[in-house]
Amino acid sequence: MKIGDKVSISPQVTDRSDWINGTIKEIEENPFAGIVITAESEDGEVFFEKEDLFRLLSKEACTH
């Protein structure tokens, strides 16, 4: 994953009922938590959490 990639964000992170789409804004190598992703959802909310709670969207899955 890299900055600018489209991802799905887990409901564990967003507290919503299903995965939502977003764009990676920052990637941090945290010495305690490992890789932490910050992503902005399509509606402008920003979420951050460990890398395993984000799924990279394939190019075919993108609707833009």
Side-chain angles (χ1 to χ4, degrees):
M1 287 190 218
K2 62 185 182 310
I3 293 173
D5 281 349
K6 301 289 184 187
V7 291
S8 284
I9 308 168
S10 170
Q12 268 184 276
V13 179
T14 64
D15 201 31
R16 298 186 187 180
S17 60
D18 207 358
W19 290 72
I20 64 169
N21 293 338
T23 304
I24 295 177
K25 296 297 181 186
E26 184 178 338
I27 300 172
E28 173 192 350
E29 289 195 38
N30 183 297
F32 303 103
I35 296 177
V36 175
I37 303 290
T38 301
E40 183 176 350
S41 67
E42 293 174 342
D43 62 4
E45 286 189 79
V46 176
F47 301 97
F48 62 94
E49 189 53 79
K50 293 180 185 177
E51 180 181 33
D52 61 342
L53 294 172
F54 296 83
R55 292 183 189 158
L56 188 60
L57 291 174
S58 66
K59 301 235 185 272
E60 297 82 38
C62 292
T63 57
H64 303 292

